[in-house]
Amino acid sequence: MTLGTHRAAVCTALEGPDCVTTKHVPNVEAGPGTVRVAVRAAGVNYPDYLTRGQYQLKLEPPFTPGMEVAGVVAECGPPTEGSTPWPIGTPVIAWTPSGGFAEQVVVSNDAVFALPEPFTYAEGAAFTVAARTAYHALVERGELHTGERLLVLGATGGVGFAAVQLAKLLGAQVVAVGSDDAKLAAVTAAGADHVVNYRDADLAHSVAALTSGVDVVFDAVGGDAATQAIRLLAWGGRYLVVGFASGTIPIFKANRLLLKGVSVIGVRAGEAARMYPKEFQRSIAVLLGWASEGSLRPHISHRFTLDDASAALATLSERRVTGRVVITIENQS
């Protein structure tokens, strides 16, 4: 059987976005319990920046980046026990460890979900990774409650933006922190109660002027902002360590945690999904329910073609993004 080829953005060396080029690669047949998706759009996430080998998960080149896609079902492999075949042509969202920057990708059947009706393919491709990370952090790890005060560091990035949106759905009061007024305006439009530009004003003083203390900190940034933010927690506060976009891992003094009864909580949404698949499936069902109701929708600031995948990664790494970056694909495979 001749399967032919399709186009994919392939990373050939761990030397940054310039090492990602579009090539023809062999098609892969869907095996038992898998689905081949004809990709219409792929989300660009921070872990895709492993083209520099600077993420927890390191792949050896050559490989194709891309963790989440949206498209249509092109082929279903033989069903395994407990799985239900997807009808050919069904619009779907899919997760994959890698391989999403391509005209097609084969994924596990349990990593495929129906595209919410209000969503475009681009929105579908930009939704689940950020929204699931925010949900895992705020609900499953941080146990954020209605009326609590949340401080979001990196609120203009993909995961931070999703955290702001989700926190407002949960009934929290949100202080969003970023470094660009235009980007923060988009976060305000998404529901943030207050915004702080830490480049224009002292972070600790600005937040202290807004509230007597925050209950939860969502930190996707690390660095100097983290050492200031932990001082802003109220008694019994929870500090959610989501990522280190600044490139600097903060160090917290144990006496400060003791004095306020503070908990520092690590957040690894991907690993949690692998360890607790049933909880992962339940959280995705909740998020897709909100999406179908129109209550939760990703904010996309940049779109690129497959041939410009390297530029998409560079835009993300240079922090020019508000919300999400998406690669749109005119599928010819």
Side-chain angles (χ1 to χ4, degrees):
M1 176 179 178
T2 302
L3 293 174
T5 64
H6 65 276
R7 293 191 311 136
V10 179
C11 176
T12 57
L14 297 179
E15 297 175 3
D18 287 345
C19 293
V20 176
T21 57
T22 306
K23 299 183 176 184
H24 283 269
V25 299
N27 293 347
V28 177
E29 187 176 7
T34 67
V35 176
R36 183 158 55 91
V37 177
V39 179
R40 299 291 184 263
V44 183
N45 292 280
Y46 181 73
D48 294 321
Y49 199 54
L50 48 74
T51 52
R52 280 198 186 277
Q54 293 177 333
Y55 195 70
Q56 293 97 320
L57 173 65
K58 293 181 174 65
L59 300 179
E60 289 300 320
F63 65 88
T64 297
M67 300 171 58
E68 60 181 334
V69 302
V72 297
V73 174
E75 178 190 9
C76 273
T80 55
E81 184 177 355
S83 68
T84 302
W86 287 88
I88 303 302
T90 303
V92 294
I93 294 171
W95 279 38
T96 176
S98 62
F101 294 1
E103 291 180 331
Q104 57 179 255
V105 63
V106 174
V107 300
S108 173
N109 189 78
D110 59 9
V112 180
F113 310 93
L115 181 74
E117 278 195 16
F119 275 19
T120 63
Y121 288 118
E123 288 172 323
F127 181 66
T128 52
V129 168
R132 160 63 190 167
T133 301
Y135 186 95
H136 178 59
L138 297 178
V139 177
E140 297 174 346
R141 301 292 285 153
E143 298 182 350
L144 183 69
H145 298 299
T146 299
E148 286 196 309
R149 299 156 296 181
L150 172 71
L151 179 67
V152 180
L153 303 182
T156 61
V159 173
F161 205 108
V164 171
Q165 294 174 304
L166 183 58
K168 294 309 299 178
L169 279 176
L170 296 171
Q173 300 175 42
V174 178
V175 180
V177 178
S179 61
D180 181 277
D181 286 339
K183 294 180 180 180
L184 285 168
V187 177
T188 299
D193 299 282
H194 306 283
V195 296
V196 174
N197 185 331
Y198 68 84
R199 292 198 187 280
D200 293 342
D202 180 83
L203 174 60
H205 289 161
S206 297
V207 176
L210 297 171
T211 177
S212 58
V214 298
D215 301 293
V216 180
V217 173
F218 179 102
D219 180 12
V221 177
D224 292 339
T227 57
Q228 295 185 64
I230 201 160
R231 297 170 179 266
L232 296 166
L233 280 168
W235 171 261
R238 289 92 75 198
Y239 197 102
L240 303 174
V241 180
V242 182
F244 313 108
S246 68
T248 302
I249 298 174
I251 297 174
F252 301 125
K253 293 183 177 180
N255 67 322
R256 187 165 296 281
L257 310 183
L258 182 149
L259 288 171
K260 287 189 175 181
V262 166
S263 300
V264 177
I265 303 169
V267 176
R268 284 195 68 191
E271 186 63 21
R274 286 184 283 274
M275 294 186 68
Y276 305 106
K278 290 182 179 179
E279 288 81 354
F280 165 71
Q281 293 288 338
R282 280 197 292 267
S283 69
I284 291 294
V286 171
L287 292 167
L288 292 176
W290 278 328
S292 295
E293 295 168 1
S295 301
L296 199 56
R297 201 164 204 152
H299 180 90
I300 301 170
S301 67
H302 290 75
R303 300 170 192 246
F304 294 87
T305 66
L306 184 60
D307 289 329
D308 291 325
S310 62
L313 288 165
T315 298
L316 184 68
S317 69
E318 293 163 6
R319 301 185 195 175
R320 290 186 273 135
V321 178
T322 306
R324 299 302 311 276
V325 181
V326 171
I327 293 171
T328 58
I329 298 171
E330 294 183 9
N331 206 300
Q332 316 243 338
S333 60

